[in-house]
Amino acid sequence: MSTPKDSRPLSPASLVVSAGRPAVTPDGELNPSISLNSTFHAPNAGGAGYGRYGNETWSALEEAISALEGGRTLLFGSGMAAISAVFNMLPHGAVITASKNGYSGTMSLLKKLESDGRVDVRYVDVSNTSEVLDSLPGTVLLWLESPTNPALEVADLPTIITAAKKLNCGVGVDNTFATALNQQPLAMGADISMNSVTKFLAGHSDVLLGSLSTSDGALFTRLEDQRKLGGAIAGPFEAWLALRGIRTLAIRLKQSQENALEIATRLSKHPKVSKVRYPGLPSDPHHATAKKFMKGFGAVLSFEIAGSAGDADKVCSASKLISQATSLGGVESLWERRHRWSAESPSIPENLIRLSVGIEDVEDLWADIDSALGYY
Ligand SMILES: Cc1ncc(COP(=O)(O)O)c(C=O)c1O
C-alpha cells in the first residue's frame, strides 16, 4: 500500500481496498497469490523459513487489518485461537476481568481456565463503568468484548481503557461486533484489538479466522511466539478469501448497518416483540455511551418475542429469506434463538433471538421477519 507524498491520508474505505497488495512491478500481480508452501528455500537462517512461522498470503491480510486497526497484526486459524493465544500468555494465577455476558465460546474458555486453576476471573457488567473500574486493582488482563454477543451491551471504552492503563492492566478488546471501521481500540490505548475475522472482516460465511493487532513491539513478539508454538495457524486459502472479502467491508457494513437500524426500529414497534437490543436505537440504554465514540453501531441486533422459547424457535424456523444459523457478519442475514445452544449464558433470556443483518433489500427482510412473527 502506498500513499503518494503530499496527498491526504487514505480513508478506511480506501485502505481496505488498497492495503496488502504486492509491490508494483511491470506485469506484476495486482492481487497477492495463494502461497501454498509448508517450507521455503532457506540458504541462510532468517525469514519465515517454515509455514507455521509466516506466509505471504497471511501477511497481505495482516497488512489490510493493520491498516484499519493500527499497529501490527497476527492472523490465527480462528477467533478462538486468537483469544486462546492471549489467555495462554498469562502467568499462572493471573486475574482476568471480563464481561459476564460475552460470547459463549470466550465464556466457556474462561470457565475452563478457572476450573483448571490457571487464572482467576472477575466477571463484570461491561456497560457499568464504575463496576468495571472497581474490579481493576489487581487485574492483569481486562478483556472487553464490546458490544457484547448477544446482549449488545456497550462498554465506555475510552474511559475504561484510560483508567486501566493508569493502573498498568493489560487491555484486550474483542472488536468483532464493531470492527475497526466503527471503533479503534488501539487508538484508545488498548494493548490488543482482537477480531473473529470469520465475521464482518471476511464477510461471506465461508472461512474461520482470527486476528490480534497491537502497537506494542514486545507484545507482538510474545504473541507471535504463541502462534508459532501453539500452531493454531490460518490456511493460506482462507487468508486469501478473507482478503478478498475485506475489500468490500466498508460498503457491506454500511448497507448492513442501515438495514439493522431500520429493522430494529420496526421491531421495537411490533406487537409480538417485547424488547429490542440495538445500540443504534436512540431508546437503547447503551445508545448514549456508544454515540460518544462509535462511528456506527454494527449490524447485529437481538430481540425478545412476546412469547416462549418454543415460540421463538417457531419464528426462526418460519423465515424464507433469513437462514436459521449461528454466526454473524456475513452478507446474508442469519438468526437463531441463542439458548438453543447449551453454552449460552444463563443471563440471556430464553426467548432472545439474535439477528445478524445482511445486505439484502431491507423491505424483503422486513416482509420475511413480519411474516415469520405471524407463526406463533
Ligand atoms: C464476539 C466474538 N468473539 C469471538 C468469536 C470466536 O470466533 P471464531 O468463531 O472465529 O473462533 C465469536 C464467534 O462467534 C464472537 O462472536
Side-chain angles (χ1 to χ4, degrees):
M1 169 200 35
S2 67
T3 307
K5 279 208 172 65
D6 303 327
S7 67
R8 58 194 278 281
L10 292 178
S11 68
S14 307
L15 284 172
V16 286
V17 174
S18 59
R21 302 241 177 223
V24 178
T25 55
D27 282 336
E29 293 179 329
L30 195 68
N31 293 304
S33 42
I34 306 174
S35 171
L36 294 170
N37 294 286
S38 63
T39 194
F40 305 93
H41 291 292
N44 305 302
Y50 188 54
R52 182 157 32 80
Y53 297 174
N55 173 288
E56 269 176 51
T57 322
W58 300 354
S59 304
L61 177 59
E62 288 167 343
E63 202 182 297
I65 297 172
S66 299
L68 292 181
E69 293 278 359
R72 287 174 70 197
T73 298
L74 288 159
L75 192 66
F76 288 80
S78 68
M80 286 311 298
I83 295 173
S84 297
V86 178
F87 293 174
N88 284 342
M89 235 175 39
L90 295 173
H92 196 92
V95 174
I96 304 179
T97 291
S99 166
K100 64 176 166 210
N101 268 333
Y103 165 58
S104 56
T106 311
M107 303 307 291
S108 301
L109 177 59
L110 286 170
K111 298 251 152 65
K112 166 125 187 32
L113 292 172
E114 244 184 325
S115 67
D116 289 351
R118 270 272 289 120
V119 298
D120 287 325
V121 187
R122 297 175 184 164
Y123 295 100
V124 290
D125 171 356
V126 289
S127 68
N128 183 336
T129 302
S130 54
E131 189 181 324
V132 181
L133 299 189
D134 286 349
S135 77
L136 292 180
T139 291
V140 174
L141 175 70
L142 171 63
W143 188 255
L144 289 169
E145 185 179 308
S146 182
T148 55
N149 176 7
L152 276 305
E153 299 145 336
V154 176
D156 183 344
L157 291 180
T159 305
I160 295 172
I161 294 171
T162 305
K165 290 318 298 173
K166 276 194 188 134
L167 293 173
N168 276 329
C169 302
V171 180
V173 176
D174 184 331
N175 211 19
T176 302
F177 266 40
T179 82
L181 289 181
N182 285 329
Q183 66 189 20
Q184 290 178 301
L186 299 185
M188 295 180 216
D191 299 290
I192 295 172
S193 180
M194 173 264 154
N195 284 282
S196 166
V197 178
T198 312
K199 314 297 182 191
F200 290 98
L201 302 195
H204 295 75
S205 304
D206 50 9
V207 297
L208 275 106
L209 289 171
S211 69
L212 299 174
S213 304
T214 180
S215 308
D216 177 333
L219 179 58
F220 180 90
T221 305
R222 288 171 66 208
L223 291 167
E224 191 174 29
D225 285 347
Q226 286 290 329
R227 182 175 71 178
K228 283 179 184 169
L229 302 177
I233 56 164
F237 183 51
E238 282 76 2
W240 186 87
L241 279 174
L243 184 65
R244 185 181 161 121
I246 210 172
R247 301 293 185 216
T248 53
L249 173 65
I251 193 161
R252 283 187 284 107
L253 193 64
K254 182 170 182 291
Q255 183 62 49
S256 295
Q257 283 182 164
E258 274 174 30
N259 287 353
L261 178 59
E262 184 59 31
I263 289 168
T265 306
R266 294 187 193 186
L267 280 173
S268 60
K269 295 178 195 147
H270 199 286
K272 290 199 166 179
V273 172
S274 58
K275 180 170 174 178
V276 180
R277 302 169 189 236
Y278 181 62
L281 277 180
S283 56
D284 188 271
H286 306 294
H287 182 67
T289 305
K291 231 178 117 183
K292 279 206 296 190
F293 63 92
M294 292 182 78
K295 295 194 186 86
F297 305 106
V300 182
L301 59 91
S302 294
F303 63 99
E304 288 152 50
I305 58 158
S308 65
D311 294 332
D313 283 332
K314 277 188 208 152
V315 170
C316 291
S317 305
S319 54
K320 305 271 185 301
L321 177 60
I322 302 174
S323 298
Q324 182 175 210
T326 202
S327 201
L328 53 106
V331 289
E332 64 291 296
S333 299
L334 305 178
W335 67 1
E336 64 172 344
R337 184 175 71 84
R338 278 303 292 172
H339 255 296
R340 67 198 182 115
W341 306 106
S342 58
E344 191 50 85
S345 158
S347 56
I348 299 301
E350 285 285 344
N351 60 352
L352 178 141
I353 296 173
R354 186 187 68 196
L355 169 60
S356 172
V357 184
I359 63 168
E360 301 92 338
D361 182 273
V362 72
E363 296 303 337
D364 291 338
L365 287 173
W366 182 250
D368 196 37
I369 294 167
D370 192 33
S371 138
L373 282 167
Y375 273 79
Y376 85 94

